[in-house]
C-alpha cells in the first residue's frame, strides 16, 4: 500500500488551505494530516461539538475523496457494514455478485474514501472484528462476490465520546493496537466566539460573547456531568436574535467582551429564554444533582448577567 496520500509539498499547501476554513485547531489539523498521510487509521476521542466531523470533511474535500459516514450503534451489524444480497433478486436469480448491495465499508474501500464511524464504541463486537480485518489486510473476501481490495487512500477514522459510558462497550486491545489516537478537546473562548460569529452572521459582539460565556459555564459546574458544545452557543445566539426581533428588543452593539454591565433588562431576559431552549437539552446533570436543567441554567444566567457585573464594579 502507498504510504502517503500526497507528497510533502502538497500536504503543506493543503494544511494552509484548511487553516483558512477551520477556526483554530492547527495542532489537531497537523496531527490528523500526519496520521492519514502516513497511511494510519485513527481514533478521534472527544466530546460532541469539537469539530471532529468538520476536520475530516475539510481534509477529504481538499483531497477530493469521499467521506463515508456511519453511525455506530447496536444496529450496525456486520452485514450492514459490509453489505448484503438483495433478497428479492436472490429469489429470482440466486446469489451473485450482481445482486450484492454494498455497505459503507465496501463503498469506502472501492472508492478510496475515509470510512468515518461515529460513536465507535457503541458498535457490536462482531462488527468491530469485521472492521479489524479490513484495517489489517486492506482486503475483504465476501462469499459469492469475491475479494475487495481497498484503494490506497482508504482510511478508517472512528470517534468516541470518553464522557459517555451508557450503552457503550469497552474496546479491545486489538482495536487500540491498530489505530492511532488523537484527543480533541474544546477550543478556547476566542475561537468559539469566532465560530459563533461565522455560523450565525450576527454582528453584535456582545451577543456572541454572552452566548459563548454561558455555554462554556455549563462545562465548569460540578453538578453538570457534561456541558454543551459550541453548537449550544450558536443556537443561543440565533434564538436570542430571533426573540429580540419578535419582541422589539434592540441587541447591544457594544464590541466589548468584558463582563457585561448596564445591559437592558429586556435583552438579558431574551438571553435567558434563549438559554433555556438552546441548552436545557444539551446539558447532562450529575446523578447526585437535585435541580432541573432549567434551574441550573437560570443560576448560570444570574452568575453571568447579575453577579459577574456587580463584582466587576469599581470599589
Amino acid at each position: 500500500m502507498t504510504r502517503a496520500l500526497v507528497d510533502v509539498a502538497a500536504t503543506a499547501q493543503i494544511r494552509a488551505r484548511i487553516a483558512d476554513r477551520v477556526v483554530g485547531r492547527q495542532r489537531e489539523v497537523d496531527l490528523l494530516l500526519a496520521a492519514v498521510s502516513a497511511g494510519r487509521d485513527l481514533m478521534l476521542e472527544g466530546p460532541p461539538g469539537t469539530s471532529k466531523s468538520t476536520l475530516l470533511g475539510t481534509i477529504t474535500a481538499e483531497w477530493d475523496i469521499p467521506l463515508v459516514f456511519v453511525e455506530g450503534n447496536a444496529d450496525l451489524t456486520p452485514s450492514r457494514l459490509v453489505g448484503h444480497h438483495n433478497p428479492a433478486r436472490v429469489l429470482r436469480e440466486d446469489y451473485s455478485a450482481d445482486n450484492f448491495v454494498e455497505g459503507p465499508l465496501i463503498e469506502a474501500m472501492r472508492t478510496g474514501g475515509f470510512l468515518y464511524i461515529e460513536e465507535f464504541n457503541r458498535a457490536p463486537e462482531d462488527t468491530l472484528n469485521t472492521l479489524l480485518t479490513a484495517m489489517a489486510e486492506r482486503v475483504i473476501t465476501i462469499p459469492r462476490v469475491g475479494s475487495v481490495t481497498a484503494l490506497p487512500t482508504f482510511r478508517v477514522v472512528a470517534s468516541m465520546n470518553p464522557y459517555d459510558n451508557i450503552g457503550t462497550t469497552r474496546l479491545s486491545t486489538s482495536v487500540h493496537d491498530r489505530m492511532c489516537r488523537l484527543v480533541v478537546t474544546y477550543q478556547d473562548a476566542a475561537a468559539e466566539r469566532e465560530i459563533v460569529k461565522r455560523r450565525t452572521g450576527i454582528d453584535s459582539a456582545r451577543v456572541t460573547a454572552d452566548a459563548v460565556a454561558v455555554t462554556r459555564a455549563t462545562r465548569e459546574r460540578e453538578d453538570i456531568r457534561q456541558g454543551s458544545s459550541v453548537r449550544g452557543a450558536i443556537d443561543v445566539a440565533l434564538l436570542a436574535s430571533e426573540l429580540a426581533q419578535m419582541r422589539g428588543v434592540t441587541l447591544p452593539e457594544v464590541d466589548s467582551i468584558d463582563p457585561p454591565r448596564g445591559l437592558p433588562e429586556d435583552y438579558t431576559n431574551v438571553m435567558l429564554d434563549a438559554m433555556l431552549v438552546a441548552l436545557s437539552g444539551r446539558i447532562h446533570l450529575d446523578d447526585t444533582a437535585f435541580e432541573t436543567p432549567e434551574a441550573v441554567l437560570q443560576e448560570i444566567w444570574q452568575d453571568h448577567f447579575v453577579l459577574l457585573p456587580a463584582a466587576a464594579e469599581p470599589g
Side-chain angles (χ1 to χ4, degrees):
M1 175 180 172
T2 304
R3 187 188 67 83
L5 291 176
V6 290
D7 61 37
V8 174
T11 301
Q13 294 173 1
I14 288 172
R15 176 180 181 267
R17 289 197 296 269
I18 291 173
D20 292 336
R21 298 173 58 182
V22 178
V23 178
R25 296 294 186 206
Q26 192 56 65
R27 176 177 178 273
E28 289 82 357
V29 169
D30 287 352
L31 296 176
L32 205 163
L33 273 173
V36 296
S37 294
R40 300 302 93 193
D41 298 313
L42 186 67
M43 171 73 72
L44 299 176
E45 189 172 308
T50 47
S51 306
K52 297 186 292 294
S53 300
T54 301
L55 287 170
L56 282 176
T58 304
I59 288 172
T60 51
E62 285 291 339
W63 274 325
D64 194 25
I65 57 176
L67 177 63
V68 182
F69 175 82
V70 178
E71 184 178 350
N73 54 46
D75 295 329
L76 185 62
T77 60
S79 63
R80 284 181 179 270
L81 183 66
V82 176
H84 64 279
H85 291 272
N86 184 305
R89 291 188 60 183
V90 167
L91 289 175
R92 296 194 306 266
E93 310 163 5
D94 203 358
Y95 291 96
S96 71
D98 291 338
N99 57 45
F100 181 75
V101 181
E102 292 183 355
L105 173 58
I106 301 304
E107 178 188 349
M109 293 177 70
R110 286 193 189 277
T111 61
F114 284 16
L115 177 67
Y116 178 44
I117 306 178
E118 199 169 52
E119 303 291 348
F120 188 62
N121 54 341
R122 293 182 181 275
E125 186 176 358
D126 55 346
T127 303
L128 297 183
N129 290 337
T130 301
L131 187 63
L132 286 177
T133 302
M135 291 165 58
E137 307 296 334
R138 260 39 189 184
V139 176
I140 278 197
T141 301
I142 306 170
R144 302 183 180 89
V145 174
S147 295
V148 176
T149 301
L151 293 181
T153 53
F154 167 70
R155 302 285 184 273
V156 175
V157 183
S159 71
M160 57 182 282
N161 177 5
Y163 303 105
D164 190 357
N165 55 13
I166 299 175
T168 61
T169 57
R170 183 177 180 181
L171 299 178
S172 68
T173 55
S174 297
V175 172
H176 287 294
D177 189 53
R178 285 173 170 81
M179 305 185 83
C180 294
R181 173 175 171 266
L182 173 60
V183 175
V184 183
T185 58
Y186 292 113
Q187 293 177 267
D188 61 26
E192 293 195 340
R193 287 193 294 269
E194 180 62 25
I195 290 170
V196 173
K197 180 180 178 181
R198 290 190 186 186
R199 295 288 182 88
T200 64
I202 295 173
D203 293 329
S204 172
R206 181 74 267 158
V207 173
T208 300
D210 290 338
V212 168
V214 296
T215 300
R216 291 177 67 85
T218 67
R219 307 172 203 158
E220 300 167 358
R221 291 179 59 108
E222 293 184 357
D223 51 359
I224 298 179
R225 185 177 76 251
Q226 182 176 330
S228 172
S229 73
V230 71
R231 292 176 186 147
I234 292 169
D235 283 1
V236 169
L238 288 172
L239 286 170
S241 178
E242 292 296 325
L243 285 171
Q245 185 175 2
M246 286 188 291
R247 297 174 181 177
V249 175
T250 301
L251 295 177
E253 296 181 357
V254 181
D255 290 336
S256 172
I257 60 172
D258 294 332
R261 285 187 285 183
L263 294 175
E265 185 178 350
D266 56 1
Y267 165 70
T268 59
N269 287 337
V270 160
M271 290 300 295
L272 174 59
D273 286 341
M275 288 172 59
L276 295 177
V277 176
L279 300 178
S280 60
R282 285 185 163 101
I283 63 174
H284 304 281
L285 301 185
D286 188 81
D287 293 337
T288 60
F290 294 102
E291 295 181 299
T292 64
E294 289 77 10
V296 171
L297 289 171
Q298 186 139 5
E299 290 179 8
I300 291 174
W301 172 85
Q302 186 174 26
D303 287 344
H304 181 73
F305 288 103
V306 180
L307 300 182
L308 185 62
E313 288 289 345

